Amino acid sequence: KMPDCAKEVMIKRADELSALVLEASTAGISNLEFSTLNSVWTQSFDFKEYRINLSMPGAMQRENFRTVFTVLEYLAVEFEFSLSEALIGLEETLWPARCQILPDGIIIDSAHNADGIKTLLESLHEFTPGKTIPIIFGSFKDKNTSECLKALEPWAEYFIFLALETKFRASWSGAELVAMLKNISSKKAFTAENPAGALELTQNDSLRIICGSLYLAGEFLTLLVPEQEVLNI
């Protein structure tokens, strides 16, 4: 929910520009169901008179949907197209590295701060409640990495830590992250030299999470997914 002070600034600026202001619908969501089809996590729910199939998991995406719905509802009237047909497109919405599950059970998420990690864990709670999972993690030194690890720790079966391959910005080494975790938890932790090494260490696990940085997510997507599949969104 947007803070009232921020909302006031936006409304004032919109008024100065004679721009239309739309507020996201607050209609209720009901009959929530989850499913996995072709390795895509889908949540389905009733909203107004529509049955929505959204191919992105998590409570946050349901809140984002409210904004999308409100915009589409307005545009459908303005440009005379079918709202119901437009909503069908949500079934194929793709956001790479946002709780993206690959066919071999790897979940890639770009969460890189405590709020992002919280959103990721909310999604996992809906789809894999009570299950601990191996977590592959890397982070830049200018992030509140300790808070991220504290949030992830209850969900971790064990950790695999590695440094990011980007050179323009300092990242934690695997050994530094192991030392940081020891101040938080006694969970097992290992280090890897690169993404391929991290995957090899977890190859016997059916479900794995990769998170901590958008750049880390990109490194793994480059390794695991054809470039065209990532860019064709």
Side-chain angles (χ1 to χ4, degrees):
K1 185 178 182 297
M2 181 182 294
D4 289 340
C5 57
K7 184 177 177 181
E8 289 172 6
V9 171
M10 294 187 69
I11 291 175
K12 179 181 178 182
R13 184 56 178 159
D15 185 58
E16 292 170 353
L17 298 173
S18 299
L20 176 68
V21 175
L22 297 173
E23 292 205 35
S25 174
T26 58
I29 286 174
S30 60
N31 297 323
L32 180 63
E33 297 178 338
F34 304 104
S35 62
T36 304
L37 179 63
N38 297 326
S39 298
V40 176
W41 287 355
T42 298
Q43 52 182 324
S44 303
F45 50 87
D46 293 334
F47 187 82
K48 294 190 173 182
E49 67 268 36
Y50 302 96
R51 184 64 180 172
I52 303 298
N53 297 308
L54 182 59
S55 62
M56 292 188 292
M60 178 63 72
Q61 298 306 335
R62 294 194 292 276
E63 292 307 305
N64 289 339
F65 159 78
R66 293 179 184 277
T67 301
V68 171
F69 180 91
T70 301
V71 172
L72 285 175
E73 188 176 43
Y74 168 78
L75 293 176
V77 175
E78 187 75 6
F79 295 99
E80 299 181 346
F81 62 78
S82 169
L83 175 58
S84 59
E85 290 184 16
L87 292 171
I88 292 174
L90 295 174
E91 296 180 23
E92 300 187 21
T93 302
L94 175 63
W95 189 348
R98 175 55 72 194
C99 229
Q100 179 179 0
I101 182 169
L102 304 183
D104 55 359
I106 295 174
I107 302 167
I108 299 182
D109 194 271
S110 56
H112 55 270
N113 55 36
D115 286 340
I117 294 293
K118 179 182 177 182
T119 299
L120 166 62
L121 296 179
E122 286 175 350
S123 299
L124 292 175
H125 180 71
E126 291 184 342
F127 282 86
T128 58
K131 182 178 178 64
T132 57
I133 305 169
I135 297 176
I136 299 172
F137 183 90
S139 178
F140 287 117
K141 288 190 173 181
D142 58 1
K143 299 297 181 183
N144 193 343
T145 304
S146 179
E147 289 303 309
C148 292
L149 293 179
K150 287 178 182 177
L152 287 168
E153 191 273 343
W155 282 84
E157 181 179 346
Y158 61 87
F159 285 93
I160 303 292
F161 293 127
L162 70 165
L164 302 176
E165 295 181 352
T166 50
K167 304 301 181 185
F168 67 93
R169 193 166 156 198
S171 73
W172 299 105
S173 69
E176 288 173 323
L177 289 168
V178 169
M180 190 182 300
L181 180 68
K182 285 182 178 179
N183 293 323
I184 300 169
S185 169
S186 59
K187 288 280 178 75
K188 290 183 179 179
F190 308 91
T191 63
E193 292 296 320
N194 51 46
L199 293 175
E200 185 174 352
L201 287 171
T202 60
Q203 63 182 340
N204 294 325
D205 295 286
S206 60
L207 197 62
R208 293 163 277 176
I209 298 173
I210 298 166
C211 65
S213 169
L214 184 59
Y215 291 89
L216 184 71
E219 291 173 13
F220 278 91
L221 284 176
T222 298
L223 183 66
L224 295 168
V225 178
E227 181 179 2
Q228 189 59 31
E229 185 175 324
V230 176
L231 298 179
N232 185 23
I233 57 175

